[in-house]
Amino acid sequence: MTSTTAKTTSVPRTARDVLLFVRDYAVLLLIAIIVVALAVVSPSFFSAANLMNVLNQNVPLALIAAAGTFVIVSGNFDLSTGAIFSVGSVLAAWVAVQTGNPWLALAAAPAIGVLLGLLNGIAVTALRVHSFLATLATSLVFSAIAVLITGGSLITVTVDGFTTLGRDRVGIVFYAVIVLVLFAGFLWFLLNGTVFGRHVFAVGGNQNAAELSGVRVARLRVKVFALSGLAAGLAAAIGVSRISSGQPQVGLGMELDAIAAIILGGTSINGGVGAVWRSLAGVFLIALIGNGFDILNLNPQLKDLATGVIILAAVGLSAIGGRRR
């Protein structure tokens, strides 16, 4: 009698454990499946050079998504990162042309990114506007600024050394990938090993409880948006160095791609839970899907369909209980 009861209760518990495991590590399972499938279809896919190229091409998006994890975990949204990317790109190109100093020009991109991120944080906290609406509005303002800087045309840069950050490498490892690894490592430590990171989780999990426990929510939000702006500016420096020209619309849609990668990686859209590595895995998964469609020469519109379905499935899985970090 006891044995029968134990067996009866263990079945749903086991099924739930399996479902929770799939929920927590679905992005890694999907990456493994796609990598194996593409390696079988195209043996050259699994070469170190090809995988490095795939990673390098998606460094700007990965930087934005990694920092965007802080924004979403804290219960906010940043829809202005694409516009900040555009402003940083054209400003870096303009400074390079005006001064002839490539490093000063590239440093201008993350600097303006921090400034615009701070403005986002102030808009959200001082005006008490939801971050979705506030950053949607600032994205329009920042996009207009990018157009004003360029006059609506391209700014071509021919300064020596300007393309070093975006194109050069050490062996097969691009400088941009090294920057991503260092920045992602810093963000991982910041989120998981500092008081600031614990406060980010606390505010996203329960803002009222965080305030009662002494967390300065407004100040934290400003810092989170500044960090997001820094990442967008750093991504812009790499992006403009790669193409050697400032384009006012270059960041169009990047904010949505970054949010999609964050959610696909498993960070909860409701805030309070998430991880930097999950967002990076989400970026890599989207990159692999795109690379797979290129290798198989499939209709690119189907890529968006496949990505959308996977994101819907990820959101559905995230609704099952609380996710582990």
Side-chain angles (χ1 to χ4, degrees):
M1 193 71 172
T2 304
S3 177
T4 303
T5 304
K7 290 181 180 179
T8 303
T9 57
S10 66
V11 173
R13 185 180 304 163
T14 301
R16 180 174 177 78
D17 289 342
V18 171
L19 193 58
L20 292 177
F21 177 83
V22 172
R23 178 205 67 182
D24 288 331
Y25 300 103
V27 63
L28 297 181
L29 294 173
L30 286 172
I31 288 175
I33 292 171
I34 293 176
V35 166
V36 171
L38 292 179
V40 171
V41 174
S42 176
S44 62
F45 164 81
F46 206 57
S47 66
N50 182 63
L51 291 177
M52 182 57 63
N53 284 331
V54 172
L55 180 59
N56 180 58
Q57 290 168 4
N58 290 274
V59 165
L61 180 60
L63 289 169
I64 294 174
T69 306
F70 286 74
V71 178
I72 292 184
V73 168
S74 67
N76 295 279
F77 285 93
D78 191 351
L79 297 180
S80 69
T81 50
I84 294 176
F85 183 92
S86 296
V87 174
S89 297
V90 298
L91 180 63
W94 184 84
V95 172
V97 171
Q98 296 298 318
T99 66
N101 188 326
W103 299 112
L104 176 63
L106 294 176
I112 193 65
V114 172
L115 177 60
L116 298 182
L118 286 172
L119 291 178
N120 277 334
I122 293 172
V124 171
T125 56
L127 300 180
R128 298 184 181 274
V129 179
H130 193 283
S131 59
F132 186 95
L133 297 176
T135 57
L136 177 61
T138 57
S139 70
L140 299 176
V141 175
F142 299 159
S143 295
I145 292 174
V147 174
L148 290 174
I149 292 174
T150 63
S153 58
L154 302 181
I155 301 178
T156 302
V157 182
T158 57
V159 177
D160 290 339
F162 189 77
T163 60
T164 299
L165 179 62
R167 299 181 186 178
D168 288 4
R169 65 179 85 184
V170 179
I172 65 169
V173 182
F174 290 90
Y175 288 152
V177 174
I178 296 175
V179 171
L180 172 62
V181 171
L182 294 176
F183 191 67
F186 165 72
L187 292 181
W188 175 85
F189 173 75
L190 189 63
L191 186 61
N192 296 285
T194 67
V195 174
F196 173 75
R198 291 195 291 273
H199 287 175
V200 170
F201 282 111
V203 171
N206 190 321
Q207 179 181 324
N208 293 332
E211 286 180 325
L212 291 175
S213 64
V215 177
R216 297 183 177 181
V217 175
R219 180 176 296 183
L220 181 134
R221 281 179 173 166
V222 172
K223 291 180 180 179
V224 164
F225 280 104
L227 185 62
S228 180
L230 170 64
L234 184 59
I238 292 173
V240 72
S241 174
R242 183 173 297 167
I243 63 177
S244 195
S245 66
Q247 304 174 14
Q249 300 296 327
V250 69
L252 187 65
M254 287 193 72
E255 68 282 353
L256 298 181
D257 290 339
I259 293 174
I262 294 168
I263 302 305
L264 186 56
T267 294
S268 174
I269 199 170
N270 297 315
V273 284
V276 171
W277 73 263
R278 291 188 178 280
S279 300
L280 296 178
V283 171
F284 193 54
L285 177 57
I286 292 176
L288 287 178
I289 293 173
N291 191 251
F293 272 76
D294 291 339
I295 290 175
L296 299 176
N297 197 27
L298 297 177
N299 187 338
Q301 293 181 348
L302 295 178
K303 177 180 77 72
D304 294 334
L305 174 63
T307 305
V309 170
I310 293 174
I311 292 173
L312 283 175
V315 173
L317 285 172
S318 69
I320 306 172
R323 185 180 300 280
R324 293 193 298 269
R325 296 178 189 175

